[in-house]
Amino acid sequence: MEEKEPPYVLINVIGGPDGVYEDHVAYLEKHLKIITMKEFLKNKQVLRHKIQAVFVWYYKPVVDKELLQSLPNLKVVVNSGVGVDHLDLKLIFSFGVKVANTPLAVSSPTADLGIALMLASARRIVEGHQIAVSPDTKHFNADWLGEEVTGATLGIIGMGGIGYKVAQRAKAFDMKILYHNRNRRNVVDEEAVGALYCHKMEDLLRQSDFVMLVVNLTPQTARLIGEKELGLMKPTATLINICRGQVIDQDALVKALQNGIIKAAALDVTYPEPLPRDHALLHLKNVIITPHIGSATAQARHLMMKNMLESILAAINGLPVPNELHV
Ligand SMILES: O=C(O)[C@H](O)CO
């Protein structure tokens, strides 16, 4: 009997900084026929009819109208990670194509990173490292002090999967937790982490020692934190961003950090990424920046790839698609 061909899936590239990992591809190939963008462009006339899924690994390939028009049998676009601000969902849905992401894979590591950034900023770990490894040992015995997070107030803006995991972790530090979200969580969730809901974001900003941003980037959240919001924060407060750079008005942030409107910032995300090397944020002592590594763990990337595979197979077989997104 002739063997059934595996489903054809388009990916951008294998290996390299932007590519799907080779060992992941080996795993995926047990179930799928992987077609790279290069192969697709070389043999478009044949492959365009066969491809049923696009595997978007760290924003690539770009799923635009031209690509959608060229894939008449496309069933699903699966996205690594939770944020889908780089995908035009309405456009994709208008082609009758489903979209799925991987929220479960990223929530714990991203929450871990948020807590790591908060602690690193509060305890001045980056500066401490620089002093400890400096050839000049005169600053070794710290004559500068950090802050404790124990007992401090953490304001979480965005209480979805990641925000809630941040709260669970912060509870272990005996932090007072405030949160602001479009929708209030249920009382059981709130009580489990001791989180108090702030209907107005302004109230959270005024009271928090640490403000952590964990929202999706949408037209409503772009530049959510600007000059006015920074002005409401305590001069002793730290702003932590683990979602998307565009959620902050960066020019306003630079001014606030330079003028002591807030104390510090710890950012896993900026706009653009990477920042130009002469950008003020890279040269302020009260700023820590990491290169968008919220989900950069071996475990998360593996789970992402597995979840993406599950969504592809479900969509192709007409089954309910895990982590399917809707309008
Ligand atoms: O959205 C996410 O899951 C991460 O930021 C990776 O893009």
Side-chain angles (χ1 to χ4, degrees), residues 235-266:
T236 50
T238 297
L239 181 64
I240 300 144
N241 190 3
I242 54 170
C243 55
R244 287 291 182 268
Q246 293 93 326
V247 168
I248 300 179
D249 173 345
Q250 274 179 185
D251 293 339
L253 177 62
V254 168
K255 279 194 199 137
L257 290 162
Q258 283 170 337
N259 299 326
I261 305 295
I262 65 167
K263 182 178 153 202

Side-chain angles (χ1 to χ4, degrees), residues 238-298:
T238 297
L239 181 64
I240 300 144
N241 190 3
I242 54 170
C243 55
R244 287 291 182 268
Q246 293 93 326
V247 168
I248 300 179
D249 173 345
Q250 274 179 185
D251 293 339
L253 177 62
V254 168
K255 279 194 199 137
L257 290 162
Q258 283 170 337
N259 299 326
I261 305 295
I262 65 167
K263 182 178 153 202
L267 312 169
D268 184 44
V269 286
T270 59
Y271 181 74
E273 286 173 357
L275 286 171
R277 297 297 87 184
D278 60 351
H279 196 284
L281 280 175
L282 301 185
H283 303 282
L284 287 169
K285 270 195 105 177
N286 48 351
V287 177
I288 298 177
I289 304 191
T290 48
H292 198 148
I293 53 169
S295 62
T297 67

Side-chain angles (χ1 to χ4, degrees), residues 58-59 79-86 102 106 110 162 242-244 269 292 294-295 301 304:
Y58 284 82
Y59 321 117
N79 180 62
S80 63
V82 69
V84 288
D85 43 282
H86 54 291
T102 64
V106 303
T110 307
I162 300 173
I242 54 170
C243 55
R244 287 291 182 268
V269 286
H292 198 148
S295 62
R301 296 281 159 93
M304 247 179 216

Side-chain angles (χ1 to χ4, degrees), residues 8-293:
Y8 278 53
V9 175
L10 182 64
I11 69 170
N12 187 44
V13 58
I14 300 171
D18 290 334
V20 181
Y21 309 134
E22 283 169 31
D23 56 336
H24 286 185
V25 170
Y27 183 93
L28 293 169
E29 277 182 331
K30 291 184 187 151
H31 309 272
L32 307 170
K33 171 83 182 148
I34 302 288
I35 304 294
T36 62
M37 204 59 177
K38 201 168 160 195
E39 289 164 337
F40 172 61
L41 295 175
K42 247 197 203 159
N43 194 9
K44 204 167 171 179
Q45 280 324 310
V46 173
L47 292 173
R48 62 188 292 260
H49 295 283
K50 295 193 170 213
I51 287 168
Q52 292 185 282
V54 177
F55 193 93
V56 179
W57 188 253
Y58 284 82
Y59 321 117
K60 289 189 189 141
V62 173
V63 182
D64 56 12
K65 198 168 178 184
E66 195 190 331
L67 184 68
L68 290 162
Q69 278 171 340
S70 67
L71 299 174
N73 294 317
L74 184 64
K75 297 217 165 40
V76 67
V77 171
V78 290
N79 180 62
S80 63
V82 69
V84 288
D85 43 282
H86 54 291
L87 294 176
D88 185 341
L89 294 185
K90 267 199 189 145
L91 176 76
I92 300 173
F93 293 151
S94 74
F95 280 78
V97 172
K98 294 181 193 276
V99 178
N101 65 351
T102 64
L104 296 178
V106 303
S107 55
S108 290
T110 307
D112 290 349
L113 187 79
I115 296 290
L117 285 172
M118 177 175 71
L119 290 171
S121 181
R123 300 302 304 273
R124 302 173 69 171
I125 286 176
V126 176
E127 275 174 81
H129 171 78
Q130 280 157 358
I131 289 170
V133 301
S134 166
D136 176 359
T137 56
K138 75 171 180 282
H139 297 293
F140 193 86
N141 293 317
D143 51 0
W144 45 271
L145 301 173
E147 299 291 334
E148 293 188 22
V149 303
T150 305
T153 299
L154 170 64
I156 303 172
I157 299 182
M159 196 61 135
I162 300 173
Y164 196 73
K165 292 220 177 221
V166 169
Q168 287 176 322
R169 286 152 176 71
K171 184 174 186 275
F173 290 100
D174 292 330
M175 297 188 84
K176 182 175 171 199
I177 301 166
L178 305 176
Y179 79 98
H180 172 75
N181 199 44
R182 259 176 320 174
N183 305 312
R184 187 172 175 171
R185 305 274 307 210
N186 63 50
V187 180
V188 177
D189 282 356
E190 285 183 354
E191 284 181 356
V193 292
L196 300 176
Y197 181 62
C198 291
H199 176 65
K200 290 191 183 148
M201 186 175 78
E202 288 74 11
D203 293 339
L204 176 149
L205 292 171
R206 282 195 189 94
Q207 295 175 59
S208 300
D209 300 303
F210 298 90
V211 172
M212 198 173 304
L213 303 175
V214 205
V215 293
N216 289 325
L217 175 63
T218 65
Q220 290 71 41
T221 61
R223 292 177 170 242
L224 184 69
I225 303 296
E227 189 182 346
K228 176 174 152 253
E229 291 71 25
L230 291 159
L232 295 173
M233 288 173 65
K234 296 181 186 180
T236 50
T238 297
L239 181 64
I240 300 144
N241 190 3
I242 54 170
C243 55
R244 287 291 182 268
Q246 293 93 326
V247 168
I248 300 179
D249 173 345
Q250 274 179 185
D251 293 339
L253 177 62
V254 168
K255 279 194 199 137
L257 290 162
Q258 283 170 337
N259 299 326
I261 305 295
I262 65 167
K263 182 178 153 202
L267 312 169
D268 184 44
V269 286
T270 59
Y271 181 74
E273 286 173 357
L275 286 171
R277 297 297 87 184
D278 60 351
H279 196 284
L281 280 175
L282 301 185
H283 303 282
L284 287 169
K285 270 195 105 177
N286 48 351
V287 177
I288 298 177
I289 304 191
T290 48
H292 198 148
I293 53 169

